Amino acid sequence: MVVNPADVMTKIAREPRLQLAYLKKLFERNEGDEYADQMVSLLAEYDRPQLLPFLRKSKHYHTNRALEICSHRKYDDERVFLLVKSGNRREALNVMVQQQNRLDKAIDLCREHEDDELWSLLVNEVVSSRSPANISQLLATAGTSIDPLGIIEKIPEDLEIPGLRDLLVKILRDYETQVMLQWCCHSATLDDVRGMSDLFYKQANRATHYGQRSVCAICRSKLFLEEKREELQLFGCGHAVHSRCFEEKTRRDSHLGTIPSKDCPVCAEEDGMN
Ligand SMILES: [Zn+2]
Ligand SMILES: [Zn+2]
């Protein structure tokens, strides 16, 4: 017998806990997507630990409705998740700093989205909180992601921050390490390029052998014809052609409207195909 979930839900409409248990079973079987909104309110009411995992997993609830429920109940973790999901990062940052006092999470959020506006919002929030501990934490953990001078300029003059000098020294050291690292990468790349170009010129300078069996790369007949002294065009790539074939090809190309070139015709054709 097939049981219709809608019938079950109507039958147990006065038993929310039962509804919750039934919906959990339904979702375990990847069914019941149409009850996602109801599931959010039931979880918020009776089983909060399962609410955030459900919000992360399901794609079928209405974010705005869920946000309303979580804001009303002051469920800040869930609120932050939904705010970020709906693209409202500023508000999420605000909840993290003002309500949750979770600077570490706020810094993670800014890092994750690499959003300059978000960073400056965070700096303003932290500085206006006038909490030396928060300012130190921001400098210590985000010193290399944002301009530390920007933070220092904003700190009120009458506010004392313990350990500020050491913090600044640490930030400068971190910067130094970063610059050093970039410099090393740069010089390693230059070395590679130099090595490759040396190899290239060495190989390009090698002799190329043209013998009795060598053929013209255009007409495919022998380069050195016994009955006729041919003039040749030899290219650095190793291809060789009769001057006469080369001139003919140049003439043909200009008839076809192609710009005649002095480069190897075989390699030029291969380049054109790639
Ligand atoms: Zn030829
Ligand atoms: Zn060639």
Side-chain angles (χ1 to χ4, degrees):
M1 190 181 85
V2 182
V3 185
N4 183 359
D7 292 342
V8 180
M9 287 299 278
T10 331
K11 273 224 168 93
I12 53 174
R14 284 163 181 277
E15 307 275 352
R17 281 171 194 278
L18 214 56
Q19 280 189 322
L20 179 61
Y22 177 67
L23 286 182
K24 274 186 186 173
K25 286 269 175 249
L26 220 53
F27 281 109
E28 268 170 30
R29 299 202 305 253
N30 290 324
E31 289 172 33
D33 289 339
E34 65 273 30
Y35 295 105
D37 282 320
Q38 203 170 347
M39 185 67 167
V40 171
S41 22
L42 286 168
L43 285 173
E45 177 80 36
Y46 301 105
D47 193 1
R48 185 181 171 195
Q50 291 303 315
L51 180 56
L52 192 54
F54 181 79
L55 293 176
R56 285 187 203 280
K57 199 176 157 205
S58 173
K59 293 185 183 69
H60 300 282
Y61 59 87
H62 289 87
T63 310
N64 283 343
R65 272 187 230 170
L67 198 56
E68 233 167 69
I69 293 171
C70 296
S71 304
H72 181 69
R73 290 176 181 268
K74 299 207 170 18
Y75 289 175
D76 287 335
D77 280 338
E78 291 83 349
R79 244 175 105 194
V80 165
F81 170 78
L82 291 166
L83 285 168
V84 173
K85 190 183 170 205
S86 58
N88 199 345
R89 296 177 203 151
R90 296 174 70 112
E91 182 76 27
L93 192 80
N94 196 284
V95 176
M96 284 172 176
V97 179
Q98 302 281 353
Q99 261 115 51
Q100 296 187 295
N101 201 16
R102 289 297 301 269
L103 199 53
D104 53 337
K105 280 197 188 170
I107 291 171
D108 284 346
L109 182 76
C110 295
R111 273 219 183 103
E112 199 182 317
H113 296 283
E114 286 180 22
D115 181 338
D116 287 342
E117 207 190 316
L118 215 56
W119 274 118
S120 79
L121 199 75
L122 179 65
V123 170
N124 288 340
E125 291 257 7
V126 169
V127 172
S128 63
S129 76
R130 294 183 61 93
S131 146
N134 279 356
I135 296 177
S136 300
Q137 193 186 349
L138 183 64
L139 279 169
T141 43
T144 46
S145 305
I146 32 173
D147 178 15
L149 269 183
I151 306 180
I152 290 162
E153 274 168 6
K154 285 181 183 165
I155 298 174
E157 276 182 28
D158 57 330
L159 194 68
E160 197 175 312
I161 313 233
L164 182 62
R165 198 187 69 102
D166 290 347
L167 258 178
L168 290 179
V169 171
K170 185 186 168 292
I171 292 170
L172 287 176
R173 288 237 171 89
D174 287 353
Y175 263 122
E176 209 177 358
T177 317
Q178 267 192 4
V179 171
M180 190 84 124
L181 188 70
Q182 283 180 358
W183 189 82
C184 287
C185 291
H186 178 69
S187 75
T189 312
L190 276 187
D191 274 355
D192 277 355
V193 171
R194 206 172 296 137
M196 299 290 268
S197 67
D198 280 353
L199 186 70
F200 171 74
Y201 283 117
K202 224 171 163 183
Q203 286 184 343
N205 274 340
R206 280 187 192 155
T208 314
H209 174 82
Y210 301 101
Q212 292 304 319
R213 289 199 202 157
S214 307
V215 293
C216 164
I218 295 178
C219 71
R220 310 307 300 174
S221 59
K222 281 189 179 169
L223 273 182
F224 306 106
L225 298 169
E226 276 168 31
E227 66 275 18
K228 218 157 133 201
R229 279 180 188 233
E230 284 280 3
E231 298 213 353
L232 303 176
Q233 304 274 339
L234 308 178
F235 297 96
C237 55
H239 288 124
V241 296
H242 298 122
S243 296
R244 157 178 66 82
C245 294
F246 189 61
E247 280 154 23
E248 255 171 45
K249 188 177 178 340
T250 312
R251 230 174 292 131
R252 263 204 317 275
D253 283 353
S254 62
H255 269 303
L256 290 170
T258 324
I259 302 158
S261 148
K262 291 205 183 309
D263 300 336
C264 166
V266 184
C267 292
E269 209 156 276
E270 276 171 13
D271 279 349
M273 284 195 295
N274 291 335

